[in-house]
Amino acid sequence: MVEPRLQALIDQDYPRFSDAEFARRRRALGDVMARHGCDCVLVCGENRAGTGVQWLTGWPTTTEAIVLFAPGERDVMHVEWYNHWPLARRIASDADVRWGEHQGARKTLAELRRRGARRVGMIGPLAWAKIRALAESVDLVDLNAEYPWLRMRKSDEEIDWMRIGAYFSDLGIAALQRDARPGMTERELGNLVERAYVGLGGTTLIHYIGVNSMSAPALCVPPQIHSNRRIAAGDMLFAELTAFFCQDSPGQVLRTFAVQSEPSPLFRALHATAEAAFDAICGVLRHGVTVAEILEASALIEAAGFTVYDDVVHGFGGGYWPPIIGSRSRPGPAALDMTLEANMTVVVQPNVITPDQKAGVQVGELVRVTASGFERLHQAPRGFLPIA
């Protein structure tokens, strides 16, 4: 269960962040704009991609949305399609929401000309032809490198919303443990997960679910697309789940299950190593911790003779953010010299596998970095969970 104050948010028709929270975001974006000498900023999204529009206005981009932002002025947002316009006006109530008429970039450009804007920042995805049309008339400044820092530094209110996403994600784990049975396919398992929270207001980002034989293993990481493979007694099942609250406030939880059997010695060793690595990494988390310290804490994975496939730690919430950390035997995408700050949220997920990539486990969850340590946002039980 969630606290009554969070349940009150879930119970709203269209939950909305407070005016103070939106004001905080606008100040932060205004600071970015000023640093880059821009007259205004365009925040864009297309085909359900790009989280900036929702962060700024509350509207989760459907087909297309382009928001013109300038401090002290009301946002102008052009949206598609026409039948999406009424709901966009309701949800993004503080913006002047207009139908884009299938020419949203040109209409935005007309508004830029009306304001006399010459140097314009841009955040989010937009088709190349639309970017080119804008760039022919104004000096576009790519601010996408600034956006992760706007999202990585969470407010307390944002973290409260993520507690709800974590709650929904935990319900998916509980459904797998309670209702999964031999004979079910991976597709049916995915259906179990979604039925756990969709009726309560949650939506799905991912539910990666894999099944592997513990006696003849051949899979080290859950596939991103469900197969028709059926689970059987003696299998292990592993899952990575992320449910959203209001499309943009997620949890993320990773767990491993034994199907009507005890874990085999190999899988027990993999899981014990992963749990130890989770505890070791969380043991160093705090405001000011460095990537190097986190990487060092993961070294017990290799010391046990194992490796990893997935990232061991990554930022999360509004996107997949730095720090993205691998391990000594499977480095991350690039060395990153950064320190974590209080109220950043990261997923710690030491998905330990065998070097031959035939067996692996999923362990971990989203946590909040605090001034002196970390806070769990999930309540799903830990351990090698049984499926009866």
Side-chain angles (χ1 to χ4, degrees):
M1 299 292 291
V2 294
E3 300 174 53
R5 64 187 181 86
L6 300 182
Q7 186 62 52
L9 278 173
I10 298 171
D11 291 341
Q12 295 178 20
D13 283 351
Y14 294 104
R16 181 176 173 80
F17 282 100
S18 69
D19 292 344
E21 173 60 23
F22 278 118
R24 181 194 70 83
R25 297 173 184 187
R26 296 178 69 82
R27 287 193 300 270
L29 185 56
D31 290 344
V32 169
M33 190 183 94
R35 285 201 304 272
H36 290 268
C38 297
D39 300 316
C40 56
V41 176
L42 300 182
V43 182
C44 309
E46 277 198 306
N47 297 318
R48 303 188 184 275
T51 61
V53 171
Q54 185 172 7
W55 177 77
L56 184 62
T57 71
W59 172 246
T61 301
T62 51
T63 300
E64 176 184 293
I66 305 174
V67 186
L68 196 165
F69 164 85
E73 298 193 44
R74 193 180 187 200
D75 295 339
V76 172
M77 180 167 72
H78 290 96
V79 301
E80 300 293 354
W81 305 109
Y82 189 75
N83 62 315
H84 297 204
W85 186 22
L87 185 58
R89 283 182 294 181
R90 181 175 178 182
I91 291 178
S93 57
D94 291 339
D96 177 2
V97 184
R98 306 171 184 177
W99 176 36
E101 300 180 44
H102 303 269
Q103 49 183 337
R106 281 185 287 180
K107 287 187 169 292
T108 299
L109 181 56
E111 181 67 21
L112 290 170
R113 287 171 175 158
R114 187 188 71 79
R115 297 187 183 198
R118 297 186 178 278
R119 184 172 170 84
V120 178
M122 185 171 174
I123 292 173
L126 198 62
W128 168 244
K130 299 168 188 174
I131 295 174
R132 184 174 60 187
L134 291 165
E136 287 173 352
S137 299
V138 298
D139 178 17
L140 279 185
V141 181
D142 183 3
L143 299 181
N144 282 290
E146 296 275 8
Y147 181 62
W149 294 97
L150 294 171
R151 300 307 307 270
M152 288 157 57
R153 298 181 172 110
K154 302 290 193 300
S155 68
D156 289 345
E157 190 170 343
E158 287 177 314
I159 289 175
D160 271 349
W161 281 49
M162 293 176 71
R163 294 183 200 280
I164 301 174
Y167 164 64
F168 287 151
S169 303
D170 288 345
L171 292 178
I173 291 293
L176 285 176
Q177 185 176 9
R178 181 184 63 245
D179 298 328
R181 294 291 181 270
M184 285 185 169
T185 66
E186 291 176 7
R187 297 169 186 170
E188 291 172 316
L189 297 174
N191 185 52
L192 284 181
V193 168
E194 295 213 6
R195 298 292 69 75
Y197 53 73
V198 169
L200 301 177
T203 54
T204 298
L205 175 65
I206 61 170
H207 41 65
Y208 301 158
I209 300 172
V211 180
N212 199 7
S213 167
M214 286 193 282
S215 60
L219 182 70
C220 70
V221 65
Q224 290 72 50
I225 299 173
H226 303 317
S227 77
N228 214 26
R229 203 272 202 198
R230 297 182 183 275
I231 61 174
D235 283 342
M236 59 81 65
L237 182 155
F238 46 177
E240 178 180 9
L241 310 183
T242 288
F244 278 138
F245 175 52
C246 291
Q247 316 292 327
D248 191 45
S249 298
Q252 188 161 110
V253 59
L254 305 93
R255 293 292 187 267
T256 300
F257 307 82
V259 182
Q260 293 188 347
S261 63
E262 291 296 318
S264 70
L266 171 60
F267 279 92
R268 192 179 296 280
L270 286 165
H271 195 271
T273 302
E275 289 277 12
F278 178 87
D279 289 337
I281 292 167
C282 288
V284 302
L285 287 183
R286 67 187 187 284
H287 179 87
V289 69
T290 66
V291 169
E293 289 175 280
I294 295 171
L295 187 61
E296 177 63 27
S298 75
L300 62 85
I301 297 171
E302 284 78 16
F306 298 126
T307 184
V308 297
Y309 210 96
D310 205 350
D311 300 318
V312 172
V313 175
H314 65 83
F316 202 52
Y320 195 103
W321 307 126
I324 301 173
I325 306 173
S327 71
R328 288 180 171 178
S329 56
R330 203 237 71 177
L336 185 64
D337 182 18
M338 69 171 283
T339 59
L340 274 64
E341 301 174 18
N343 264 22
M344 286 184 174
T345 49
V346 298
V347 177
V348 180
Q349 51 173 42
N351 309 135
V352 177
I353 69 168
T354 54
D356 63 7
Q357 301 184 359
K358 290 185 177 181
V361 294
Q362 296 275 292
V363 165
E365 59 194 50
L366 179 75
V367 300
R368 172 192 189 183
V369 178
T370 69
S372 58
F374 77 102
E375 177 194 0
R376 289 189 68 193
L377 300 181
H378 287 268
Q379 300 177 28
R382 292 177 58 183
F384 212 130
L385 303 176
I387 291 176

